């Protein structure tokens, strides 16, 4: 139910609608909840509506944080 | 798919797991609640629990919108759907939720009620346009993620001048449910396990932002880490929670910065505030009555309110006596502790709310965890309690 997916916007249409690429499938969705979406943006799609834009820089930073997890410090002696 | 696969890498998950094991203090126990069903599902499906050290335990919270729908509200939906003029539009997930008298929407449909599954509230509006002689009722459920789409559909129906579109509103609020878990009268009765911190909602937070959780961090002195729904997101959030506990910090941290800001989606919030107001109280399956935890249509939108239109009365129907969902949602019991688990109660034939959707604690455990349990018990002998 809470399933929501990051999808890429590939076309803008009238009436706050747009077409997204959903794992290779084209699907028309509503962009009415997010202002200023452009073609090429990633949005989080939920029950046919984009909820928010996905920030690619932040995604990259998070992946780098994961990569650094192996290097985290030893715990202090109890 | 991009932004999904990178967040599921097994070797990275094991590395984060090793970091958690290294940083979790051996003499201490850590209990964290993941509020959302999306997290529950990820934890079960990707075996996150197996990557955690024995002293870090996850408690499955009530954040599955399908699971928390009380029997009485499903009964009301069936009552509305059985009116000859009505087409009930619903998300597919609600179809099998058990109602009174062994009924469900699916069975009511088989008996002749006109119930149609829709992907989106916009589809329900379209149904109303195409069927001017009928009355289309959207069975609107869900947390802060599905509420803005419902509000938009009402506004769209209004703009189109539709008089045959209605909403049966069951939208509920995440923050009230979290407070309830921390300080309800039932907690005094049932007792509660100490919760050391929360993994905060992913998609709910894209809408409401991280700010609403600052209250919990402060008022209840509980760390909160908002996390995405992929397994690496959950692992990283657990690591961040362990660090907060070790440092004695109680802050709201955000692991899901790629989609969540402190403010959230202001446009969606304004729309919801325009169309919906608070209900004084609302029943949650598994939690009981929770004050100010749900929404109803405001006076200005009363013409779209199915509850007024059909005069269906609220009713409270108790769950199966042996169902332990209430205790499971509070972390006091594990699905396997329920006598009905896997025998009388299965995903095919759910008796209680936690077994209904794949995001429910019992259903997730049934699908992904039950064999692991057995092997762990065999491997550990009687040492594991
Ligand atoms: S197994 Fe079924 S009856 Fe038992 S607690 Fe879970 S949902 Fe309730």
């Amino acid at each position: 139910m809470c399933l929501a997916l990051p999808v890429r916007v590939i076309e803008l249409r009238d009436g706050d609608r747009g077409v997204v690429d959903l794992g290779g499938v084209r699907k028309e969705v509503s962009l009415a909840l997010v202002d200023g979406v452009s073609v090429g943006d990633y949005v989080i799609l939920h029950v046919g509506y984009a909820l928010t834009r996905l920030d690619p820089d932040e995604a990259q930073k998070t992946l780098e944080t994961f990569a650094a997890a192996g290097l985290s410090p030893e715990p202090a002696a109890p | 798919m991009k932004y999904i696969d990178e967040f599921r890498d097994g070797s990275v998950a094991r590395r984060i797991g090793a970091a958690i094991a290294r940083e979790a203090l051996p003499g201490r126990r850590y209990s964290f609640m993941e509020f959302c069903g999306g997290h529950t599902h990820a934890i079960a499906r990707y075996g996150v629990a197996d990557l955690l050290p024995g002293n870090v335990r996850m408690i499955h919270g009530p954040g599955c919108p399908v699971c928390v729908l009380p029997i009485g509200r499903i009964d009301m939906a069936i009552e509305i759907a059985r009116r000859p003029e009505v087409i009930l539009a619903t998300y597919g997930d609600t179809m099998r939720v058990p109602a009174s008298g062994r009924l469900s929407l699916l069975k009511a449909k088989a008996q002749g009620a006109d119930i149609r599954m829709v992907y989106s509230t916009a589809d329900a509006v379209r149904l109303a346009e195409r069927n001017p002689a009928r009355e289309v009722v959207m069975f609107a459920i869900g947390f802060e993620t599905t509420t803005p789409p419902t509000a938009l559909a009402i506004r769209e129906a209004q703009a189109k001048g539709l008089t045959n579109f209605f909403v049966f509103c069951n939208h509920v609020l995440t923050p009230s449910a979290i407070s309830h878990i921390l300080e309800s009268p039932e907690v005094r009765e049932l007792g509660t396990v100490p919760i050391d911190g929360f993994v905060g909602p992913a998609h709910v937070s894209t809408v409401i932002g991280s700010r609403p959780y600052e209250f919990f961090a402060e008022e209840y002195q509980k760390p909160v880490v908002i996390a995405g729904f992929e397994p690496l997101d959950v692992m990283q959030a657990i690591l961040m929670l362990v660090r907060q506990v070790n440092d004695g910090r109680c802050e709201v941290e955000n692991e899901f910065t790629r989609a969540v800001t402190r403010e959230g989606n202001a446009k969606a919030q304004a729309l919801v505030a325009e169309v919906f107001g608070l209900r004084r109280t609302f029943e949650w399956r598994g939690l009981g009555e929770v004050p100010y935890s749900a929404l109803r249509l405001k006076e200005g939108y009363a013409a779209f309110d199915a509850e007024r239109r059909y005069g269906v009365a609220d009713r409270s129907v108790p769950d199966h006596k042996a169902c332990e969902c209430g205790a499971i949602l509070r972390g006091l019991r594990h699905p396997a502790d329920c006598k009905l688990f896997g025998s009388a109660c299965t995903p095919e034939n759910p008796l209680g709310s936690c077994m209904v959707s794949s995001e429910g604690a019992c259903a997730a455990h049934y699908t992904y965890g039950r064999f692991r349990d057995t092997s762990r018990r065999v491997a550990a002998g009687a040492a594991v309690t």
Side-chain angles (χ1 to χ4, degrees), chain B residues 320 322-325 328 335 338-342 345-346 350-355 362:
Chain B
H320 193 291
C323 176
E324 302 266 19
C325 280
I328 291 170
C338 173
K339 284 199 294 285
L340 305 173
F341 177 83
C345 183
T346 61
L351 288 179
S353 64
C354 313
M355 192 59 99
C362 291

Side-chain angles (χ1 to χ4, degrees), chain B residues 139-201:
Chain B
F139 185 21
I141 70 153
F143 290 98
E144 289 86 342
T145 37
T146 42
T147 313
T150 305
L152 270 180
I154 292 171
R155 294 284 295 264
E156 191 188 340
Q158 188 182 44
K160 288 182 165 156
L162 295 177
T163 53
N164 67 332
F165 177 77
F166 304 90
V167 164
F168 177 37
C169 180
N170 295 274
H171 287 300
V172 287
L173 303 169
T174 304
S176 350
I178 300 183
S179 323
H180 185 82
I181 291 169
L182 289 170
E183 59 159 1
S184 70
E186 291 83 1
V187 165
R188 264 166 263 148
E189 247 167 61
L190 288 170
T192 185
V193 288
I195 297 176
D196 299 305
F198 287 92
V199 175

Side-chain angles (χ1 to χ4, degrees), chain B residues 45-107:
Chain B
R45 175 161 177 199
Y46 298 100
V48 165
D50 292 345
L51 298 175
L52 299 176
N55 57 337
V56 177
R57 182 179 155 225
M58 298 309 292
I59 299 165
H60 312 308
C64 159
V66 179
C67 307
V68 299
L69 260 183
I71 295 179
R73 301 296 291 187
I74 312 271
D75 288 353
M76 288 163 79
I78 291 175
E79 186 186 322
I80 293 172
R82 280 179 164 165
R83 300 176 72 97
E85 73 276 24
V86 166
I87 300 174
L88 187 83
T90 178
Y91 294 122
D93 315 53
T94 59
M95 291 298 281
R96 289 186 313 115
V97 183
S100 296
R102 304 192 151 266
L103 264 177
S104 64
L105 287 174
L106 195 65
K107 287 182 191 149

